[in-house]
C-alpha cells in the first residue's frame, strides 16, 4: 500500500523568502502525485498534480513541484512567499488505476512579516 | 462550474444521535468520494461511488456509517448512534472518470461534526 511522509509539521518563512515543502512517498511504481492547500476551516484546493511526463510541474499561485523518482520525492516550491500563502499543505498519492487518495499529515506554513 | 457543495457546514450533536450529511458534486462528475479528517491529520478515505454504485469502502467505515448516491448525483453520509470519536471534518470530493489518465478530485468545503 502506498504512504506519504511530510517530515515538517510546521515551517515558518519570512514574507518574500523562498519556500520548499518536503514530501516523500512509498509506492512500488510511479504514483500519481498531488499537492493540496487547506485554509483554516476550509476544504482542500488543488495546487498542482503529476501524472507523467515532465517531472517539473507548474501549479496555481506561483507554486511548482518536482518529481524525483530516485528519491521518491515530490517537493513543493515557491520562489517568493506571500502572507496569503499561510495555510496547511497536504501532499497526496494515488496508485494508477485506483481512485482513493492517500494523504500525508500536512505541513502548516506560517509567514512572518 | 459551481464546485462541490456540502450541507450542513457545521453540526453539533449529542452522543447516540444520528446525523446525515449531504454532498452535491460538480455536475457531470460521475465519481464521488467521502473522506474524514481529524485534527492535525490529513484526510482519510472512507468510500467512493461511480455513478450510483458504491465501489470501495474503507475499514474505517464501521457499520454505523452508511453512504448512498441513489441517482448518481448527490450523496448522503449517515452516522448512526454517534460517538465522540466521530468528531471530525467530513470532506466530499468528485471527479470525472478517465481512461488511462489520472483523475483530479475536487473537494467541497467539508462538514465539521462535533459530538458532545
Amino acid at each position: 500500500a502506498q504512504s506519504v511522509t511530510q517530515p515538517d509539521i510546521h515551517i515558518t518563512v519570512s514574507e518574500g523568502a523562498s519556500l520548499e515543502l518536503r514530501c516523500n512517498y512509498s509506492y512500488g511504481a510511479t504514483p500519481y502525485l498531488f499537492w493540496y492547500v487547506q485554509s483554516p476551516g476550509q476544504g482542500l484546493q488543488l495546487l498542482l498534480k503529476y501524472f507523467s511526463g515532465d517531472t517539473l510541474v507548474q501549479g496555481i499561485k506561483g507554486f511548482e513541484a518536482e518529481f524525483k523518482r530516485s528519491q521518491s520525492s515530490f517537493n513543493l516550491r515557491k520562489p517568493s512567499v506571500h502572507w496569503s500563502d499561510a495555510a496547511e499543505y497536504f501532499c497526496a498519492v494515488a496508485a494508477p488505476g485506483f481512485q482513493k487518495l492517500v494523504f500525508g499529515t500536512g505541513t502548516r506554513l506560517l509567514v512572518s512579516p | 462550474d459551481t464546485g462541490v457543495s456540502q450541507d450542513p457546514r457545521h453540526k453539533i450533536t449529542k452522543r447516540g444521535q444520528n446525523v446525515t450529511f449531504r454532498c452535491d458534486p460538480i455536475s457531470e462528475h460521475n465519481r464521488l468520494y467521502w473522506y474524514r479528517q481529524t485534527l492535525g491529520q490529513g484526510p482519510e478515505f472512507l468510500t467512493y461511488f461511480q455513478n450510483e454504485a458504491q465501489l470501495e469502502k474503507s475499514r474505517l467505515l464501521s457499520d454505523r456509517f452508511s453512504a448512498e448516491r441513489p441517482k448518481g448525483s448527490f450523496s448522503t453520509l449517515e452516522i448512526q448512534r454517534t460517538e465522540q470519536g466521530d468528531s471530525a471534518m467530513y470532506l466530499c470530493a468528485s471527479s470525472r472518470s478517465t481512461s488511462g489518465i489520472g483523475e483530479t478530485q475536487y473537494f467541497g468545503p467539508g462538514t465539521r461534526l462535533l459530538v458532545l
Side-chain angles (χ1 to χ4, degrees), chain A residues 10 16 38 51 82:
Chain A
H10 301 279
Q38 186 176 38
F51 292 153
H82 187 262

Side-chain angles (χ1 to χ4, degrees), chain A residues 37-73:
Chain A
V37 61
Q38 186 176 38
S39 297
Q42 300 299 312
L44 300 165
Q45 181 183 22
L46 179 70
L47 287 176
L48 46 78
K49 61 193 176 189
Y50 173 79
F51 292 153
S52 65
D54 192 344
T55 57
L56 183 64
V57 294
Q58 302 297 320
I60 62 171
K61 304 184 180 185
F63 286 93
E64 68 177 27
E66 186 171 12
F67 169 58
K68 293 186 177 180
R69 185 193 312 272
S70 61
Q71 299 177 19
S72 298
S73 68

Side-chain angles (χ1 to χ4, degrees), chain A residues 36 38 46 49 51 99 101, chain B residues 31 35 37 48 102 104-105:
Chain A
Y36 285 87
Q38 186 176 38
L46 179 70
K49 61 193 176 189
F51 292 153
Q99 278 62 51
L101 292 174
Chain B
R31 286 184 173 159
Y35 291 82
Q37 184 180 21
Y48 98 94
T104 299
Q105 294 181 27

Side-chain angles (χ1 to χ4, degrees), chain B residues 3 56 68-69 74 94 110 113:
Chain B
E56 186 176 351
E68 294 182 342
R69 194 182 183 200
F74 73 92
S94 71
L113 172 66

Side-chain angles (χ1 to χ4, degrees), chain A residues 32 34 36 38 41-46 49 51 88 90 98-106, chain B residues 9 31 33 35 37 40-43 45 48 56 89 91 100-105 107-109:
Chain A
Y32 297 147
F34 306 82
Y36 285 87
Q38 186 176 38
Q42 300 299 312
L44 300 165
Q45 181 183 22
L46 179 70
K49 61 193 176 189
F51 292 153
E88 186 132 26
F90 291 95
F98 293 88
Q99 278 62 51
K100 72 177 184 183
L101 292 174
V102 175
F103 286 86
T105 51
Chain B
R9 294 290 307 276
R31 286 184 173 159
Y33 310 79
Y35 291 82
Q37 184 180 21
Q41 299 297 316
F45 171 81
Y48 98 94
E56 186 176 351
M89 173 83 92
L91 294 164
I101 306 171
E103 300 171 20
T104 299
Q105 294 181 27
F107 283 80

